[in-house]
Amino acid sequence: MKLQAFLPLVTYPDSNSDAIASNATAIAAYLGAELHAEVITAHIPNVSNATSRLLLEVPELIRKAEAASRQRGEYLLEKIREESAMKLVKLTTSLSSAALLFVGEAAAIEARYFDLSLLGWEAGNSTSRATAEAVLFGSGRPAILLPETQAIGSISHVAIAWDGSRVAVRAVADAKPFLERASKITVLTVVGEKPLMEENGAERLAAGLTKRGLIAEATPISTEDYPVGIGLQVHAIARGASLLVMGGYGHSVVRDFVLGGATEDVLDDLRLPVLCSH
């Protein structure tokens, strides 16, 4: 059974960068997955009140913004078609529209019908961040954050952020396609940051993965010089990992996401591909 990967593409007010085409198709090719890319354009409602009637150019500005959103979406889809053809990835595409405030929610609902989501991540791009948070916490599926600054190839070394929590367990289970393909797995446990559920939990996880025929080792780390989420990425990169697996902490309160510390650190400063599961 082939994995089904979902790629939501946002275009307004901030668009995904061109890097998403290469990175998303690289992940799909590595997993042997089929990729579905969907452009979700923004529908901008016309404000009907006394003030807007004085601003006669508002409808025209809205029309131009929506047209630019569609045009950018069509451009991104064409880039993804080109990359998919080169990498022999089976691709389907679609185009939809959602009210500006509900683009992330539309992406999260669609993501529920796929095995995992691939999310482009650009520093300072509030649209991609809002969409990523909505998919991560609203889809019930794992999501991989793909940094625009890094070209993604094969993922031979996977690092796991382990604290024994439910979300960490879920993330490890969701990362199975990557773990099975990895030539090395490093289980990272932050010591001295908070009480751990089990002192030897990382060793137990590494031993369990080894029994399943995988090559895994446990490594305690300290993140004294960094916030936890940044420290995990720094240690993963230093050890040669090309993917970090971690649980995503957070919940929604009236459409505002309250994030756990490590999750917020990662979203604030993404340094390598991160598989998050909530």
Side-chain angles (χ1 to χ4, degrees):
M1 184 173 67
K2 274 203 168 187
L3 288 171
Q4 303 294 310
F6 175 59
L7 172 63
L9 297 165
V10 294
T11 60
Y12 186 88
D14 299 310
S15 169
N16 285 124
S17 71
D18 290 8
I20 188 61
S22 175
N23 286 340
T25 51
I27 293 289
Y30 179 70
L31 294 175
E34 296 182 2
L35 179 63
H36 179 77
E38 178 170 343
V39 170
I40 306 174
T41 61
H43 169 64
I44 307 168
N46 191 7
V47 179
S48 178
N49 56 39
T51 302
S52 68
R53 285 195 292 272
L54 295 175
L55 302 174
L56 299 180
E57 73 276 13
V58 168
E60 178 63 13
L61 291 174
I62 290 175
R63 186 192 68 78
K64 288 182 178 179
E66 291 182 341
S69 176
R70 289 192 298 272
Q71 185 177 21
R72 175 62 181 171
E74 291 166 358
Y75 168 83
L76 286 174
L77 286 181
E78 185 56 35
K79 295 287 287 184
I80 290 166
R81 291 186 187 101
E82 293 172 0
E83 292 286 345
S84 295
M86 287 190 292
K87 297 182 176 78
L88 303 179
V89 171
K90 184 175 180 180
L91 173 72
T92 57
T93 64
S94 62
L95 182 67
S96 64
S97 178
L100 187 57
L101 292 177
F102 295 96
V103 168
E105 184 173 324
I109 291 171
E110 187 65 20
R112 294 169 187 169
Y113 297 93
F114 297 87
D115 296 305
L116 76 162
S117 293
L118 306 175
L119 304 170
W121 190 259
E122 296 84 34
N125 186 328
S126 60
T127 309
S128 69
R129 173 160 182 156
T131 303
E133 290 179 355
V135 171
L136 174 58
F137 296 112
S139 70
R141 297 291 192 176
I144 303 178
L145 304 175
L146 304 173
E148 65 168 346
T149 56
Q150 181 178 346
I152 297 172
S154 63
I155 299 175
S156 59
H157 184 178
V158 176
I160 298 171
W162 183 256
D163 61 3
S165 65
R166 181 195 64 81
V167 292
V169 173
R170 171 70 182 271
V172 171
D174 287 338
K176 183 180 177 182
F178 292 96
L179 300 179
E180 290 177 336
R181 290 168 171 79
S183 59
K184 183 178 181 180
I185 301 167
T186 300
V187 182
L188 301 175
T189 297
V190 179
V191 296
E193 190 267 331
K194 65 179 181 181
L196 298 173
M197 298 182 69
E198 289 183 305
E199 291 298 327
N200 65 337
E203 289 78 7
R204 291 189 65 187
L205 176 61
L209 294 172
T210 300
K211 288 179 180 179
R212 291 167 173 81
L214 306 176
I215 299 174
E217 64 178 11
T219 303
I221 62 171
S222 171
T223 62
E224 290 179 357
D225 297 332
Y226 301 95
V228 174
I230 304 302
L232 284 165
Q233 294 182 82
V234 168
H235 281 279
I237 293 169
R239 286 162 175 76
S242 44
L243 176 72
L244 174 64
V245 173
M246 63 182 290
Y249 292 88
H251 61 277
S252 177
V253 179
V254 194
R255 300 196 58 78
D256 289 329
F257 287 98
V258 180
L259 303 175
T263 305
E264 186 167 19
D265 294 340
V266 168
L267 293 175
D268 285 343
D269 188 358
L270 183 68
R271 303 189 180 194
L272 80 164
V274 175
L275 186 153
C276 275
S277 188
H278 174 63

